[in-house]
Amino acid sequence: MAERSTAAVDVADSSGEQSLTAQADQSTADGVAKNRERDTEHDDAQESAEADDPGKASPPELHSGHKLARRYRLEECVTRLDGFSSWRAVDEKLRRAVGIHVLPADHARARSVLAAARSSALLGDPRFVQVLDAVEENDLVYVVHEWLPDATELTALLASGPLEAYDAYQMVSQVSSAMASAHREGLAHLRLNPNAVLRTSTGQWRIRGLAVNAALRGIKSDTPQRTDTEAIGALLYAALTQRWPYETDAYGLSGLPKDIGLIPPDQVRAGVHRGLSELAMRALANDGATASRHESPCTTPEELVKAIGEMPRIRPPEPAFTAPPEYQRTTYQQGSYGRPAPHPGVTQPVAPPPPPLQSRTGKALKWAVSALLIAALGLGSWQLADALLEQGGKADDQNQTQTTDGNDKSKRPQAPKPIAIQGAQEYVAEGDAQHPADVGKTYDGDTSTGWRTNSYLDGPKIVIKPGVGIVYDLGSAKEVSAAQLSLRYGGDHTTIELYATDSLSSTTPLSSMKNLGTATTSSTSAKVTVDKPVKSRYVLVWLTALPYSGDDPANYSNPGYKQAITEVKFTG
């Protein structure tokens, strides 16, 4: 498999379940097995899957310093169980850290691990920890993946308490969107837990072990989409409450009290966001019941993404500003030059102000200043009156010479007024949606975030569908005169069309909408001007051509013809 040049960023899967072959301090060639924690997942509650018999394959005799393919030097064993081991290693050829899973070629699950690794590598989605290589040689099968040195597991984040509402919202939004993308390509995780979800130093959420972790442990499911959706619900539940939503303790979290059933997160802990609490209950398997019992359950990651898109956007908390320190009086005072500095902590008396001028010279000086002020005021008043009389005379002359035509008065054009956006929804004319959970980022006032399209092979004109875009709700019928867009990618070229429509829904065809205007740009901004302002409550911003741009890991975007809208403003 061709190796990727992506920077190494991941943490090896250290969930560390203990099997019968790896109970209590199993010795390894380089010391004691590094089983960091026990996996206390309940079979019925968490995985609903059966593990294959690992067979009689024995773990390969590996040790720190061992090299694979003359380039991968093993450094530290982080998991050893069921006949396979996971290592932190160094790719000496590219001089970067990597993670490696190793198992014997005759292991019962070796073929399925290779197939899962190669399928995961083909996805190439930067929201997942990438598989860099999958090889069988010298009676060994090993899978090389990224290593994230700056990432923190959700397990570690929850050790200090539940996440803030905004962080929990970002986590469930990004994880759901990533898993929906994977399922569209026929890939499932089946082992999505707090150890598999990581937050990088930039605040992005990454998922490790797609398909591979389940294959290593022989986990299967007849309903993979439901299994992953329930796992996302459990992650959100844990993020909101710092509790595992089952009776058993797991991942360093306490389970729910026995015999009370699954209760909503906002009943477990005070102050939990009501919308996120409802979302967690809709994703979990709870006999179709939800927190309010009015919403239908979510059974696939795609349905979960849609439910998140329908929620009001949760804004980040306001930054906390510390009060400036109190003013400290300096040690310099008039007349203190040459004197010793006062001892610290000793209160110094403040010198009284000098007395007013009481001498004969002082009185004469005061009278002189007063006379000058009176003279200045009189001179200023005379000049002001003269200027007003002169202007009045000019105005009379103009009125006498100017001709009027029916008392017609020229009016200045009114300045355009901004129109507030009340809501938005992605418009899908054909095929799949782009990123519906991110539409709110196009009018949040923050140009560092936004909604992006997929990356297409053909362009600039979109070939496989008529276009992509977002419908905006202005709250009521408003007269729209222009739309100003901030874009992420420049280049040749972006084409934007503006339409007036009658609803947020994608069921309204483009042919029944009124075209308001079109603009084409090669920069990162565009303005679509409406020739004749039209009143409409709903306005569609529609992209029909996209520029080519390279790999953008910060925006989880592969090379291709693509665009991202970071801010939209309407004026009327």
Side-chain angles (χ1 to χ4, degrees):
M1 177 179 300
E3 62 181 281
R4 299 167 57 87
S5 59
T6 313
V9 281
D10 181 26
V11 183
D13 184 359
S14 59
S15 58
E17 314 95 306
Q18 295 208 355
S19 67
L20 295 177
T21 62
Q23 291 180 355
D25 295 345
Q26 177 184 5
S27 296
T28 66
D30 61 307
V32 179
K34 306 289 193 304
N35 286 326
R36 296 183 182 176
E37 61 181 270
R38 291 187 305 162
D39 187 350
T40 55
E41 295 178 75
H42 192 281
D43 292 340
D44 296 332
Q46 171 67 8
E47 292 180 352
S48 65
E50 296 181 356
D52 295 336
D53 182 8
K56 297 182 179 180
S58 59
E61 292 297 331
L62 301 174
H63 55 83
S64 297
H66 185 93
K67 283 188 183 180
L68 298 174
R70 300 186 186 181
R71 63 181 292 184
Y72 302 118
R73 186 179 73 249
L74 303 182
E75 293 286 325
E76 177 189 10
C77 182
V78 293
T79 303
R80 188 187 294 273
L81 60 105
D82 284 351
F84 76 88
S85 57
S86 298
W87 296 76
R88 176 178 60 82
V90 174
D91 182 349
E92 293 185 335
K93 183 176 181 180
L94 298 180
R95 298 182 180 180
R96 63 180 179 181
V98 294
I100 300 182
H101 303 302
V102 186
L103 67 164
D106 60 352
H107 194 285
R109 297 194 288 266
R111 301 274 77 77
S112 61
V113 169
L114 272 177
R118 289 166 178 169
S119 298
S120 177
L122 291 175
L123 181 62
D125 191 324
R127 292 171 292 188
F128 295 94
V129 173
Q130 299 295 296
V131 172
L132 305 175
D133 211 346
V135 180
E136 178 182 1
E137 67 176 10
N138 298 331
D139 298 327
L140 289 178
V141 167
Y142 56 90
V143 177
V144 184
H145 60 86
E146 289 181 299
W147 184 275
L148 289 174
D150 66 336
T152 306
E153 294 179 358
L154 180 58
T155 308
L157 295 173
L158 295 179
S160 58
L163 300 184
E164 295 289 340
Y166 176 75
D167 293 330
Y169 171 79
Q170 288 294 321
M171 184 274 293
V172 71
S173 176
Q174 295 181 33
V175 171
S176 300
S177 180
M179 287 311 305
S181 175
H183 278 284
R184 284 194 292 268
E185 300 298 327
L187 291 172
H189 196 291
L190 303 184
R191 205 165 184 283
L192 200 55
N193 56 47
N195 291 330
V197 178
L198 316 167
R199 187 173 69 181
T200 66
S201 58
T202 59
Q204 304 299 326
W205 293 88
R206 304 282 298 274
I207 302 172
R208 70 180 175 201
L210 177 66
V212 176
N213 282 4
L216 284 168
R217 292 161 178 82
I219 299 172
K220 298 179 181 178
S221 175
D222 295 330
T223 55
Q225 293 204 56
R226 185 69 191 93
T227 300
D228 283 343
T229 304
E230 182 182 353
I232 297 173
L235 292 174
L236 178 57
Y237 197 105
L240 296 173
T241 64
Q242 202 186 11
R243 299 288 291 267
W244 195 237
Y246 305 103
E247 292 184 352
T248 54
D249 299 345
Y251 310 108
L253 303 172
S254 300
L256 296 178
K258 299 184 183 299
D259 303 325
I260 67 168
L262 182 61
I263 57 176
D266 56 1
Q267 294 182 22
V268 176
R269 180 182 289 272
V272 171
H273 188 278
R274 189 69 175 271
L276 293 176
S277 174
E278 173 70 22
L279 189 68
M281 295 298 287
R282 292 178 66 183
L284 287 166
N286 57 355
D287 299 326
T290 60
S292 65
R293 299 182 181 271
H294 295 301
E295 299 289 346
S296 59
C298 298
T299 58
T300 66
E302 196 74 52
E303 292 178 359
L304 202 54
V305 169
K306 184 177 180 181
I308 295 171
E310 294 170 350
M311 287 178 54
R313 176 173 170 76
I314 300 177
R315 298 188 179 276
E318 294 293 334
F321 294 100
T322 57
E326 294 184 1
Y327 173 74
Q328 300 293 329
R329 186 180 180 88
T330 61
T331 57
Y332 171 77
Q333 293 181 0
Q334 184 178 3
S336 63
Y337 178 77
R339 299 179 185 176
H343 294 287
V346 179
T347 305
Q348 298 295 322
V350 180
L357 297 174
Q358 298 294 339
S359 63
R360 181 178 301 177
T361 305
K363 290 181 180 180
L365 182 60
K366 286 193 292 184
W367 279 109
V369 171
S370 300
L372 287 174
L373 287 175
I374 293 172
L377 287 173
L379 180 61
S381 300
W382 175 77
Q383 290 179 342
L384 178 61
D386 186 58
L388 290 174
L389 290 173
E390 184 178 356
Q391 288 182 0
K394 289 182 179 179
D396 291 341
D397 292 342
Q398 289 178 358
N399 289 335
Q400 291 174 4
T401 59
Q402 183 178 7
T403 59
T404 59
D405 186 8
N407 294 327
D408 184 19
K409 297 180 179 179
S410 60
K411 297 182 179 179
R412 293 183 180 179
Q414 295 183 352
K417 296 181 180 179
I419 301 175
I421 299 173
Q422 304 299 325
Q425 183 171 310
E426 187 171 311
Y427 183 88
V428 183
E430 289 181 13
D432 297 329
Q434 307 294 296
H435 297 86
D438 295 335
V439 294
K441 298 176 182 178
T442 62
Y443 58 95
D444 60 357
D446 183 3
T447 55
S448 65
T449 62
W451 166 89
R452 67 177 176 87
T453 70
N454 294 331
S455 296
Y456 296 102
L457 297 177
D458 299 317
K461 180 177 175 58
I462 301 176
V463 177
I464 65 172
K465 55 174 62 184
V468 293
I470 302 172
V471 180
Y472 292 92
D473 181 4
L474 306 182
S476 61
K478 302 287 178 63
E479 193 174 75
V480 179
S481 61
Q484 183 72 41
L485 282 75
S486 296
L487 307 172
R488 185 176 180 87
Y489 307 113
D492 188 20
H493 58 270
T494 303
T495 300
I496 305 146
E497 298 178 3
L498 216 60
Y499 289 90
T501 181
D502 56 5
S503 71
L504 280 174
S505 174
S506 298
T507 57
T508 304
L510 281 170
S511 57
S512 65
M513 300 181 188
K514 181 177 178 59
N515 189 295
L516 303 181
T518 305
T520 299
T521 182
S522 297
S523 68
T524 56
S525 64
K527 183 176 183 180
V528 184
T529 304
V530 181
D531 294 335
K532 185 177 181 181
V534 174
K535 274 195 172 184
S536 178
R537 174 175 177 176
Y538 304 100
V539 179
L540 169 63
V541 174
W542 191 238
L543 306 181
T544 58
L546 311 173
Y548 184 86
S549 186
D551 189 29
D552 186 1
N555 204 30
Y556 302 128
S557 180
N558 295 325
Y561 291 93
K562 59 186 177 181
Q563 188 53 274
I565 301 176
T566 59
E567 200 69 21
V568 173
K569 295 180 181 179
F570 294 101
T571 54

